[in-house]
Amino acid sequence: LVNNRTVPVKVNDGSDEIYVFTAGTYPDGAMGDVTWTVSDKKGAMVTYEIIGNEITIQPAENVKKGTVTLTATSADGSNKKASVELNIAVLVEDFDVTAKEIGKTTLDDEGNTIFTVASGQSVTLTAAPTNTNATNKAVVWSMVEGGEYASITNSGKLTAAKDLMGIRYAVVRVAAKDGSGVYRDVKVRLTPLALGVQMYNSGKVCSNTSLNVNMSAQSTLTLNARVYPLGKANQSVTWN
């Protein structure tokens, strides 16, 4: 049912895509015939064919954006009407999602990026249509899973809950606001904050100690760092 609604219509890209609308009257038993009018203010925005109570619409090839209103009027003299507005536009096809201030990303089994965010920390997600010529690039963000572990604002700022005691996962969704119904879900890995860091040399703990290094016997020194708790905290470190 599309009465008094706006329906997105994809611009004519040569795919010969058409849109079919059907009108009927109520209650049952009323004369069911209707007449159609097409309000095309700019002119020649669509081509159409009317067969009975059905109208078939196709955007004209030279139209990049605009609106057209279809109105069905009862033919029994009651003058009852129903209308729908067609929003002709280059609709979003998909999204590329990136993040600022991100520390670590991994890939899931399907090759999708998983963003990692530490407990109490925030990251700003950005979604860009894969088709850069999309008419309306506005989006809306929402939590699909893991809302108890993270939250997201309308601007895409994702914040992990404080005091996480283990690794948790959440899924956020970015959806197009152009009526296309296109969306992309993004998985986020939420990690507790580090409780400590241990440094190792040749498998032995050397944190907070002095190392005597015979540089005549070896030209390099290799150190490794582990963040605790293992398997829970983000293992990324910076060296200085």
Side-chain angles (χ1 to χ4, degrees):
L1 185 66
V2 294
N3 288 25
N4 304 314
R5 289 178 55 188
T6 298
V7 175
V9 173
K10 183 180 178 182
V11 297
N12 190 334
D13 57 4
S15 61
D16 293 329
E17 189 167 358
I18 62 174
Y19 299 81
V20 179
F21 297 88
T22 303
T25 61
Y26 64 91
D28 291 341
M31 180 180 174
D33 295 339
V34 300
T35 59
W36 289 95
T37 56
V38 179
S39 176
D40 190 349
K41 294 181 180 179
K42 292 185 178 180
M45 293 185 65
V46 297
T47 59
Y48 60 90
E49 180 182 15
I50 299 172
I51 301 177
N53 285 18
E54 186 175 275
I55 185 169
T56 301
I57 296 288
Q58 183 176 34
E61 291 186 11
N62 61 335
V63 174
K64 298 303 180 184
K65 64 178 180 179
T67 57
V68 174
T69 301
L70 308 181
T71 302
T73 304
S74 59
D76 62 359
S78 62
N79 203 37
K80 297 300 181 182
K81 302 176 184 289
S83 62
V84 59
E85 184 179 74
L86 309 183
N87 179 28
I88 303 172
V90 180
L91 302 179
V92 172
E93 296 175 0
D94 199 357
F95 289 107
D96 284 327
V97 180
T98 57
K100 300 178 181 178
E101 319 100 20
I102 202 69
K104 182 180 179 181
T105 61
T106 55
L107 298 177
D108 63 15
D109 294 339
E110 298 178 352
N112 299 312
T113 300
I114 300 176
F115 300 104
T116 298
V117 183
S119 178
Q121 304 298 307
S122 297
V123 64
T124 302
L125 301 177
T126 302
T130 53
N131 55 322
T132 57
N133 63 336
T135 303
N136 183 358
K137 297 179 174 63
V139 300
V140 60
W141 293 91
S142 62
M143 298 296 304
V144 178
E145 298 177 13
E148 63 270 39
Y149 306 124
S151 61
I152 194 164
T153 67
N154 291 333
S155 60
K157 183 178 181 179
L158 176 73
T159 302
K162 295 180 179 180
D163 302 322
L164 290 175
M165 299 305 294
I167 296 175
R168 299 290 185 266
Y169 287 92
V171 176
V172 300
R173 175 171 294 177
V174 57
K177 293 185 71 174
D178 63 0
S180 62
V182 171
Y183 67 87
R184 175 167 286 275
D185 289 344
V186 180
K187 194 171 185 178
V188 182
R189 184 174 181 264
L190 309 168
T191 61
L193 291 176
L195 299 179
V197 178
Q198 289 277 34
M199 193 177 295
Y200 294 81
N201 173 241
S202 300
K204 296 181 181 180
V205 176
C206 61
S207 301
N208 304 315
T209 62
S210 297
L211 287 177
N212 295 316
V213 181
N214 183 358
M215 298 307 294
S216 64
Q218 61 185 80
S219 59
T220 60
L221 175 67
T222 301
L223 299 175
N224 303 105
R226 295 178 185 174
V227 181
Y228 288 87
L230 290 175
K232 295 183 178 180
N234 188 336
Q235 294 296 304
S236 299
V237 299
T238 58
W239 294 89
N240 56 42

